[in-house]
Amino acid sequence: MDITLFLQQFLNGLSIGSVYAIFAVGYTLVFSILGIINFAHGAVFTLGAYFTYFLSGGAVGTNGLLANLALPFQFSFAIALLLGSILSGLSAIAIERLAFRPLRLKGADPLLTLVSSLGAALVIVNVLQYLVGAEIYTFSEGIYGDLPASINLGTAERPIMIRTVQIIIFGVSAVMVGILTYGIGFTRMGKALQAVAEDATTASLLGIDPERFITLTFFVSGFLGGMAGALVGSSVSIASGPYFGIAYGLKGLGVIVLGGLGNIPGAIVGGMVIGLAEAFVPTDFSGYKDAIAFAILFVMLLVRPQGLLGRSRIQKV
Amino acid sequence: MQKLLEIQNLSVNYGAIQALQAIDLFINEGEIVTLIGANGAGKSTTLKAISRLVNPVGGRIFYQGQDVTRMAAHQVVRSGIAHSPEGRRVLTRQTVLTNLELGAYGRSDRLGIKADLEKQFLTFPRLGERRQQLAGTLSGGEQQMLAIARALMSRPKLLLLDEPSLGLAPQIVLEIFAVIRQLHQQGVTILLVEQNANLALQTANRVYILEAGQLTLTGNAAELLTDERVRQAYLG
Ligand SMILES: Nc1ncnc2c1ncn2[C@@H]1O[C@H](COP(=O)(O)OP(=O)(O)OP(=O)(O)O)[C@@H](O)[C@H]1O
Ligand SMILES: [Mg+2]
């Protein structure tokens, strides 16, 4: 492989890896605080893509209850992305209230919550299909304003073309990771959140209200999941309609297992690893990208069952 | 003397197990009261009911004359009751400093918190030397000191201590009890649950003895220390 192609693939990998990373961080956050995998996270990814699509002026297709509807106004992509992510965060809070909290307050087995989160995912997908149909939505061309579609990072003789959207994806994801790392690691609220994740009962003895932090966690998780969906959707279209998030949900699950369940730096590293690995899959095999990603995952877990950065199971008590 | 805490008719169940059966107990302001009893008698459950980690099925808890039976756990701390739980429960993945700072989570007086931090490091110099160490890597005795110091960071009026001597070397136990007496002199009211009945009776003003979820005996600590029944059952 010549160096130009290598660099190009590397930048592609960084871009898609960074979006896997923020999606996976949202996924793993809920696990870290509740010890439950939130299967509805993939559905929130889809919601984020739709919210941002409509807010940036996109119209509903010809199927579904809301056929041909569009907002009477439109936001710039940056504002639409921000509002779409906020709406996704609020949707995640609603999912928590309906599918998680009632079971938690009854002290139900976490396995039941797993099933109810799966149920929430199916409801969202079906309602979306009912409302906006199952067609493919593509963000309009001029969505990034006057920015060129791609820029050349190389020279005129040896061009290294990279799509603008990939730079945007990488930039936005990197900023989110930075804010999150600072917020969780270095602020009073972040430390309280970590306390709830380690031991909610003890946290409540310190004056921390665990329920408030569970709500906050779902918001942040949904915000990141929805933003990831919007970024991917704007880059490659909302393929497979309401089922858009399902494949990403599965891959995200792979990423957080790879990184170590509940481990935030692990989710970031895991996302980058999977994204880069996919980018270097030869074009002849690109149809098998997902299978290859999971094969890598499987081999890595054989070597490190606790995940890349997960704590080993043997702990000092 | 004024009653700081009063428990009336308190019952707690875990499913079919009746852990507490209609117990009555009070603590005056400024007292050290100790609660002793065999394993499984319901001592920890009593403390958990006060700090609202368990829901009673019957009875009332009054703190400073106010009914707190249904208050949320995180509000109980803010009203002045701190609980240093059984098994210490320090946040193992956080530093000593963060554990202490989180102990003051309900407070917003920055200067007061800072002063109280320094005060803990004065009382427990070992914690001061290890302020950046992860709490999970502390020795058992140091973790116990941290659990007590963290509880104190909320500036409690009433301190609930669950078996602070558990699993510690005799020398460390004496250190911890010296601190408990010192806190008492500074005016903190204390409810002490202990396996080490001898030490507890020497430290406390009054005693309650709990057997299988029921209070069977209460009285002056100094008197019960020489009581024949108590000596046989708890002091060996
Ligand atoms: N979460 C729980 N679920 C079911 N039963 C419980 C639970 N916690 C305590 N119990 C039971 O309630 C009773 C009282 O327990 P508690 O922990 O209050 O005893 P204790 O006096 O503190 O004992 P120890 O000295 O061993 O700490 C015991 O029979 C115990 O088995
Ligand atoms: Mg106990």
Side-chain angles (χ1 to χ4, degrees), chain B residues 43-44 86 162-163:
Chain B
K43 306 179 297 293
S44 297
E86 183 170 26
D162 200 342
E163 304 209 23

Side-chain angles (χ1 to χ4, degrees), chain B residues 38-45 47-48 86-87 162-163 166 193 195:
Chain B
N39 289 122
K43 306 179 297 293
S44 297
T45 302
L47 298 194
K48 286 179 188 168
E86 183 170 26
D162 200 342
E163 304 209 23
L166 191 71
V193 162
Q195 286 283 335

